[in-house]
């Protein structure tokens, strides 16, 4: 029986799942052909069919991370400061799934900083994220729900706040349960003069 | 001629320098016996004398990072909100040296998250840092230089802000020159109701 297109798609999904599980447990530092093969219950020989070299595996993993992040479910955004809050909550590790993807993002910083091209790609990604936040901040100001000030600075500050909160919550999950993360974010927004 | 204690100390310093340079360029993901040996202009055989296994090299690198961070020069702290500001500025990548050490810290998160013991050690370290900040926040409140609120929450928030700012400055150094990092931090402190 010849392999069908469906077989191929199913196998690609299996490979993606295996790569994701390896990343969630071991990070990019533990992303090896051998680890993915073991997770997949396959031989490393089969994997070289998908990833001729280690760098192909890393590139695939980074794509997978970007794709899954873009496709993740988002909160209903509302408008004004509610949209700002929803966008920031969407980043925080408030669910098991969000813990896994954040753990993989944080892990990706090491591999990205070591490679000028990957570093620039991450830089563009964070820049786009700040641009979106900047527009949301400006809209909240227009509605009188946020005090004056440069929307770009408000966006850079808010993104700083949540990224650093992600890191601390990953290392001290007991001290940063979802409720406290949310309270800290709300305290931050309140300090910006937000009036929901 | 037998080797002297001075030779041994000098060689240890050379090894530390080589490990640091490899970390600053390639991160923990690129920390290999071969890379350190090349940086040192030595054989990998000599290195196994210092580091019998890869994990010994990683442990040494993490110790080196902690030691150098603890020993780094600090700003004159002042008191109250000035001490809070100085402690936070001490974290940011405002100098070439601070860029290198922050780049290594961020890189260490991947290796630490993959190992429960290392992860707990990082968690304790960030917890201690929050505790110090909490005491500084409380002192600033006592002096009437900071609005009311839980000092522990103020500390967790401020540490989030600077850690996330570190990450963004590493990926977008052009958008986050030292002056802008400082302005963003001052904006953050002003939003907390600080009155220097």
């Amino acid at each position: 029986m010849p392999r069908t297109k469906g077989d191929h798609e199913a196998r690609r999904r299996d490979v993606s799942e295996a790569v994701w599980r390896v990343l969630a447990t071991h990070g990019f530092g533990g992303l090896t052909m051998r680890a993915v093969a073991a997770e997949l219950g396959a031989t490393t020989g089969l994997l070289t069919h998908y990833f001729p070299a280690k760098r192909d595996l890393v590139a695939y993993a980074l794509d997978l991370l970007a794709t899954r992040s873009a496709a993740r479910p988002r909160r209903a955004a509302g408008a004004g400061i509610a949209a700002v809050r929803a966008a920031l909550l969407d980043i925080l590790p408030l669910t098991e799934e969000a813990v896994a993807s954040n753990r993989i993002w944080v892990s990706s910083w090491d591999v990205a900083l070591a490679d000028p091209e990957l570093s620039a790609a991450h830089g563009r990604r964070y820049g786009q994220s700040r641009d979106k936040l900047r527009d949301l901040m400006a809209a909240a100001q227009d509605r009188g729900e946020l005090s004056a000030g440069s929307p770009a600075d408000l966006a850079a500050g808010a993104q700083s706040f949540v990224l650093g909160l992600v890191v601390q919550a990953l290392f001290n999950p007991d001290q940063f349960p979802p409720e406290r993360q949310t309270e800290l974010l709300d305290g931050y927004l309140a300090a910006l003069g937000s009036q929901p």
Side-chain angles (χ1 to χ4, degrees), chain A:
Chain A
M1 288 275 286
R3 294 263 184 101
T4 66
K5 188 148 177 278
D7 285 347
H8 184 73
E9 286 302 313
R11 177 49 65 99
R12 276 197 77 84
R13 269 201 305 280
D14 290 348
V15 169
S16 294
E17 276 307 319
V19 168
W20 192 258
R21 285 195 300 271
V22 168
L23 288 172
T25 312
H26 305 292
F28 278 85
L31 182 68
T32 61
M33 296 284 203
R34 194 192 292 189
V36 176
E39 191 69 43
L40 197 58
T43 62
T44 52
L46 180 128
L47 266 190
T48 56
H49 173 72
Y50 291 91
F51 313 114
K54 170 74 189 282
R55 69 173 166 280
D56 301 309
L57 176 58
V58 170
Y60 180 83
L62 286 168
D63 277 350
L64 184 64
L65 178 56
T67 309
R68 292 204 169 192
S69 297
R72 75 189 193 279
R74 313 283 175 130
R75 280 163 184 75
I81 193 70
V84 171
R85 183 174 184 267
L88 296 172
L89 284 174
D90 277 340
I91 297 171
L92 293 175
L94 303 176
T95 65
E96 215 172 299
E97 217 177 316
V99 169
S101 62
N102 270 296
R103 187 253 179 277
I104 299 172
W105 271 115
V106 170
S107 160
S108 78
W109 295 340
D110 181 32
V111 72
L113 285 169
D115 180 313
E117 212 170 301
L118 298 179
S119 184
H122 262 35
R124 279 191 300 277
R125 195 169 283 126
Y126 287 113
Q128 285 162 1
S129 174
R130 282 191 299 274
D131 288 348
K132 278 187 201 164
L133 266 178
R134 178 201 57 204
D135 294 345
L136 295 177
M137 293 285 187
Q141 287 177 323
D142 287 344
R143 293 163 62 102
E145 294 175 349
L146 201 56
S147 57
S150 151
D153 284 355
L154 288 172
Q159 184 150 293
S160 294
F161 190 87
V162 292
L163 288 180
L165 188 49
V166 164
V167 172
Q168 296 189 82
L170 290 180
F171 282 112
N172 296 109
D174 295 348
Q175 291 180 44
F176 294 94
E179 316 80 65
R180 187 169 186 225
Q181 293 183 50
T182 306
E183 282 167 21
L184 287 169
L185 176 61
D186 284 335
Y188 177 74
L189 292 176
L192 296 184
S194 87
Q195 292 158 348

